[in-house]
């Protein structure tokens, strides 16, 4: 009939002691994963695109397609 | 807290009908409507609740002579009580045990059935609307218009690095 007295204090501290390190490591892992799967490839994609980019060539292609209002295709 | 399944509703209605039929004709003529026993809500009430172990009053108020003698015996040492007497005392105090209170009901089937039924009715209403109420399509949703729109977006080089135009091969003139 005499049960041991249950733990009454320090319950939040105990929970935090267990969960905080896990939370921190998981957030760091997620941030690192995002950096290496999203931001680095994106930066590389932009770098590669502009390495071979000829602005005048693109402009002339767009002009011939007729999308500009200020400068019409060279035929007109 | 009332778990009213369709089965219980049916039995409740049938019980009322039986009572109505068994009433004498004199009673039926004087009563304008069926008089049901209404509990007095201003007094403490008995209620089975999982989170309230001791309700406001015991289940059985009116004790028979046998019950009263049992209650007298309860005042003494409880080791003198037999198992049946202890159970009888429990049933005097409470209506259902915790196991009986926690018993699952089939109410969820009624609820899910009702949900699906009304979703179906709504679907029929929406279908009727589509045929009798919706205005004609705007021209911007025609395939021809959408093709011209895509061509213009590619000409404008929309998102050429990672997005829309990056999927188009400009030299060959088709999607990558």
């Amino acid at each position: 009939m005499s049960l041991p007295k249950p733990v009454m204090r320090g319950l939040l501290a105990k929970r935090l002691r267990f969960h905080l390190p896990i939370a921190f490591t998981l957030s760091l892992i997620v941030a690192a994963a995002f950096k290496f799967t999203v931001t680095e490839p994106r930066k590389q994609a932009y770098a590669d695109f502009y390495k071979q980019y000829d602005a005048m060539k693109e402009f002339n292609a767009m002009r011939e397609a007729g999308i500009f209002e200020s400068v019409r295709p060279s035929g007109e | 807290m009332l778990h009213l399944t369709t089965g219980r509703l049916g039995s409740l209605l049938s019980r009322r009908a039986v009572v109505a039929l068994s009433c004498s004709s004199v009673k039926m003529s004087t009563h304008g409507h069926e008089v049901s026993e209404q509990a007095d809500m201003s007094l403490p009430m008995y209620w089975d609740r999982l989170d309230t172990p001791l309700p406001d009053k015991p289940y059985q108020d009116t004790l028979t002579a046998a019950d009263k003698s049992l209650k007298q015996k309860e005042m003494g040492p409880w080791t003198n009580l037999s198992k049946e007497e202890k159970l009888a005392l429990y049933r005097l105090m409470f209506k259902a045990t915790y196991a009986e209170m926690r018993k699952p009901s089939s109410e969820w089937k009624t609820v899910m059935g009702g949900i699906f039924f009304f979703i179906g009715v709504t679907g029929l209403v929406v279908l009727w609307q589509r045929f009798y109420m919706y205005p004609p399509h705007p021209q911007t949703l025609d395939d021809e218009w959408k093709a011209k729109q895509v061509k213009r977006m590619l000409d404008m080089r929309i998102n050429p690095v990672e997005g829309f135009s990056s999927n188009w091969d400009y030299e060959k003139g088709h999607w990558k």
Side-chain angles (χ1 to χ4, degrees), chain B:
Chain B
M1 291 303 160
L2 287 169
H3 297 291
L4 215 57
T5 62
T6 47
R8 279 203 206 165
L9 194 59
S11 70
L12 258 175
L13 290 172
S14 62
R15 224 180 287 143
R16 272 248 179 105
V18 164
V19 165
L21 286 168
S22 63
C23 276
S24 68
S25 55
V26 174
K27 252 199 216 166
M28 291 288 276
S29 59
T30 51
H31 283 193
H33 55 92
E34 228 175 79
V35 176
S36 56
E37 231 177 74
Q38 185 76 11
D40 187 357
M41 299 280 195
S42 59
L43 297 172
M45 290 180 69
Y46 177 83
W47 204 255
D48 280 323
R49 271 187 73 139
L50 285 174
D51 52 358
T52 313
L54 298 173
D56 297 337
K57 74 172 185 56
Y59 181 50
Q60 302 284 11
D61 303 67
T62 51
L63 302 169
T64 66
D67 291 336
K68 285 203 183 98
S69 67
L70 195 57
K71 280 285 184 187
Q72 280 296 108
K73 198 173 173 195
E74 194 193 11
M75 306 252 212
W78 288 344
T79 47
N80 291 349
L81 293 169
S82 72
K83 186 158 171 261
E84 292 79 21
E85 284 171 337
K86 286 180 195 167
L87 285 174
L89 282 167
Y90 184 90
R91 289 292 172 183
L92 281 180
M93 200 62 139
F94 303 104
K95 184 171 167 226
T97 65
Y98 262 80
E100 285 163 15
M101 274 196 270
R102 287 204 185 103
K103 197 170 52 181
S105 74
S106 298
E107 188 188 9
W108 67 274
K109 295 176 194 166
T110 315
V111 169
M112 291 308 287
I115 288 172
F116 290 138
F117 175 75
F118 281 109
I119 288 176
V121 167
T122 309
L124 286 174
V125 169
V126 169
L127 196 68
W128 179 87
Q129 282 180 335
R130 185 225 170 292
F131 284 109
Y132 288 99
M133 267 186 64
Y134 284 4
H137 271 194
Q139 60 172 332
T140 52
L141 294 178
D142 298 336
D143 285 332
E144 194 195 314
W145 186 285
K146 286 201 283 192
K148 289 201 280 191
Q149 192 166 354
V150 166
K151 171 136 182 35
R152 191 173 150 79
M153 282 172 75
L154 290 171
D155 291 337
M156 289 198 282
R157 310 292 194 274
I158 299 289
N159 285 335
V161 183
E162 272 192 333
F164 189 75
S165 304
S166 67
N167 297 321
W168 178 261
D169 194 337
Y170 281 96
E171 276 97 53
K172 298 196 190 115
H174 56 72
W175 293 105
K176 285 186 191 160

